[in-house]
Every structure is written in C-alpha cells, then in structure tokens.
Amino acid sequence: GVGMGCPGQGGSPHPWRGLRVGLTQHFRELRATVEKMGLLEPNQLFFFLHLAHILLLDTAAWLILLYFGTSLMPFIISLVVLTISQVQASWLQHDLGHLSVFRKTKWNHLLHKFVMCHLIGASAKWWTLLHSQHHAKPNCFEKDPDIDMHPFLFTLGKKLSVELGIKKKKYMPYNHQHKYFFISEYLHSPSSWFVWVSQMNHIPMDIYYDKNLDWVSTQLQATCNVEQSLFNDWFTGHLNFQIEHHLFPTMPRHNYWKVAPLVKSLCAKHGIEYQCKPLLTAFADIVHSLKNSGELWLDAYLHK
C-alpha cells in the first residue's frame, strides 16, 4: 500500500479547495463508466452463499452445545463460532442497508430487517438513520454520529483535541485514551472485531467541523483503505475497500476491487491522497491516532 498523510491538517491552505470543479466533473464521468460496466449490478449468488455460511455457523454454534454439553471447552468453541456468525451477519446487514443486494429496494429492506432484527437483535431503522448521516458527512464533528464519542469518552482529531485543551475541558484523562480504548473494547466483547474494523478506515484520518467541501472531497479526505486479500475481504466484509464504498455506497461489495484502479487514477489525476495499508498497520493506527490526539489535548490543556 501507499502510506500517505491525512489531507487538510495543519495550518496550510486546504489542498482540496482548488480541486472542486474538475474533481466533481471527473467523478460524474467515472460514475457513468461504472454504470456502463455493470458494477452496480449485484451477484445474488455471492450474497446467498454469504447468508448460507452465516446460518451454518449460527446452527453449528447451537449444535456444539447440544451435542457436547455446556462444559468450558464446548462453550468457548460455540462462543467463537457464534461470534464469527454475528460479525459476518453485521457485514451482510450493511450490504442490505445500502440496497446493494437486490435490484428492488423493498427486498433489500425486508431482508435487512430479518438479518438486523432476527439474527443480530438490533433495530434496522436505527442503523439506517445513523449510518446515512455518517455517509453524508464522514468525520465531520456534530454531523457524523460515528464520532460522537468526542469529547465525552475520547478526544478525536488534531484540531479538535487542541481546541478542547485550550478550553480547559476534561471529561476523561484523554492522554491515556489509547490505553482505556482496550478496556472499553474488552467490556464490549465480542463486538471488538466489529469496532476495530469499523474504526480503522476513519479514526486515523482528518476529523474536524464540516468544511463544506464538495461531496467527493468530503468522502476522500475522511477515508482510507486496507490492502486486499481473500482473508481481509472476508474479515472486514470488504470494508477494506472503504474509499470505494464511500464513493459508491450502493455498489455490491464484490465489485469494489474492479473499480479500485479507476478510483486510484482519479485521485492521482487530482493529486489526492489514496491511502492503503496492511490490516495490522490499520489497527495500530487507531491506537497511534488516539495517543497522538490525547497528547495534543494535554499539551494544549497545560500550556495554551
């Protein structure tokens, strides 16, 4: 992958300002090309097999307990299998919520309710409301609900952390947030898998108030990718292609790899950073960004 910094940070003029008109036009052309290539058409077999493997894992988890009893080892094995099933179901509900599984909207909505409400045990309407806001303004403070843990649990982003420190506000010991992040993950187990994957693409990127950029720039400055592999695709529900997902939110995820080279070319044409990392590096960057923003907050809190 190509390691690059976060756009739009620091005190220099914002690098996206002069790119708006040309970028938007070229993206519209790319979108037309994507439609002609049929990349917005879902492969129902792919999603059927994905649902089948979720249901098989779910059934296996209960059969293990039924056959081997509830002693420690069968319980742990069953828990691991059920955890895998639940996380994979969360990726499938994400596909359905983005209307990318069926051509007809109503079928996406119906199966979304089944997976979200019956397999996972959460509200489909609640998810749709919050996730739509996230996609509209990713990493925009007070508009993206995915970062509403700032400032009450964590301080996020370089500028927001400094601002919070200057205001002398301290809801938590933010300079230790990279440590208690692990504690919070432990308390939320087995959802840790989901949280690490969902945060790896956004938390290390630029987080600030809405800069009122065009839609394409808004998506690109807040999003990074993780390298492609069969394991990474499965483990992350193809959210390793987060850039492509944010630019084409209704695209079936099995086509992200096909559009990725076109998106890279678009970014290169406009001098925009297309960040792609190994999976473990992406996980480590969550911790590094939390540590960095916590230190920036402390310095501003003590000295500014």
Side-chain angles (χ1 to χ4, degrees):
V2 181
M4 299 180 180
C6 299
Q9 295 178 345
S12 58
H14 203 280
W16 302 83
R17 293 289 179 193
L19 300 172
R20 286 190 184 189
V21 178
L23 176 62
T24 300
Q25 179 59 36
H26 288 147
F27 177 74
R28 286 173 179 162
E29 294 169 2
L30 174 58
R31 170 86 187 189
T33 300
V34 162
E35 291 180 6
K36 289 177 183 176
M37 292 172 67
L39 297 183
L40 299 181
E41 293 296 313
N43 178 346
Q44 257 110 46
L45 178 61
F46 172 89
F47 292 107
F48 172 79
L49 292 175
H50 189 73
L51 176 60
H53 109 287
I54 291 167
L55 296 175
L56 283 172
L57 288 167
D58 209 40
T59 304
W62 296 109
L63 289 177
I64 288 169
L65 293 179
L66 185 65
Y67 186 79
F68 294 103
T70 55
S71 57
L72 182 61
M73 191 53 65
F75 176 78
I76 291 174
I77 294 172
S78 176
L79 181 64
V80 170
V81 173
L82 188 60
T83 298
I84 296 171
S85 171
Q86 285 287 292
V87 173
Q88 291 299 320
S90 72
W91 305 147
L92 180 57
Q93 72 82 21
H94 180 259
D95 297 320
L96 291 160
H98 276 285
L99 312 179
S100 63
V101 177
F102 298 100
R103 291 180 180 87
K104 291 189 176 180
T105 299
K106 70 173 184 178
W107 286 107
N108 283 295
H109 285 319
L110 283 171
L111 198 57
H112 187 220
K113 287 179 181 177
F114 168 74
V115 174
M116 194 64 162
C117 301
H118 296 283
L119 295 184
I120 298 176
S123 167
K125 287 185 178 179
W126 164 82
W127 180 89
T128 301
L129 173 64
L130 295 184
H131 200 65
S132 297
Q133 294 176 50
H134 162 68
H135 268 268
K137 295 287 184 179
N139 280 14
C140 293
F141 182 51
E142 297 179 337
K143 294 188 177 181
D144 180 2
D146 282 14
I147 57 170
D148 63 6
M149 71 282 285
H150 175 94
F152 300 108
L153 289 177
F154 299 95
T155 183
L156 302 175
K158 295 180 179 180
K159 293 179 181 178
L160 290 177
S161 297
V162 172
E163 286 182 6
L164 194 67
I166 291 173
K167 292 176 182 176
K168 309 302 177 188
K169 290 188 177 180
K170 180 182 181 181
Y171 301 101
M172 294 288 286
Y174 304 118
N175 49 311
H176 296 292
Q177 65 181 3
H178 59 292
K179 301 172 187 174
Y180 65 74
F181 174 74
F182 289 96
I183 299 173
S184 67
E185 287 308 294
Y186 176 78
L187 293 174
H188 287 89
S189 182
S191 64
S192 301
W193 178 352
F194 175 83
V195 172
W196 281 93
V197 170
S198 62
Q199 298 304 315
M200 68 184 184
N201 304 111
H202 296 298
I203 291 295
M205 302 299 286
D206 187 30
I207 299 174
Y208 198 51
Y209 296 98
D210 187 3
K211 299 186 182 81
N212 295 313
L213 300 176
D214 63 276
W215 185 82
V216 182
S217 299
T218 298
Q219 306 305 315
L220 290 173
Q221 70 162 359
T223 314
C224 64
N225 275 11
V226 166
E227 291 176 351
Q228 192 273 336
S229 71
L230 286 176
F231 174 78
N232 286 357
D233 292 351
W234 174 83
F235 186 82
T236 68
H238 286 85
L239 293 182
N240 48 331
F241 289 98
Q242 189 76 213
I243 294 173
E244 287 72 26
H245 171 59
H246 266 259
L247 291 177
F248 304 97
T250 62
M251 179 180 288
R253 57 169 147 135
H254 51 73
N255 286 335
Y256 290 157
W257 68 275
K258 296 178 182 177
V259 77
L262 303 178
V263 174
K264 287 181 184 178
S265 296
L266 177 71
C267 291
K269 183 184 293 184
H270 289 271
I272 297 172
E273 296 166 315
Y274 182 103
Q275 184 167 297
C276 188
K277 329 169 178 178
L279 182 63
L280 294 181
T281 300
F283 287 165
D285 282 350
I286 298 174
V287 182
H288 293 154
S289 64
L290 288 174
K291 185 174 188 292
N292 184 40
S293 56
E295 289 172 348
L296 287 170
W297 165 83
L298 181 63
D299 180 65
Y301 186 81
L302 295 176
H303 305 119
K304 293 183 179 180

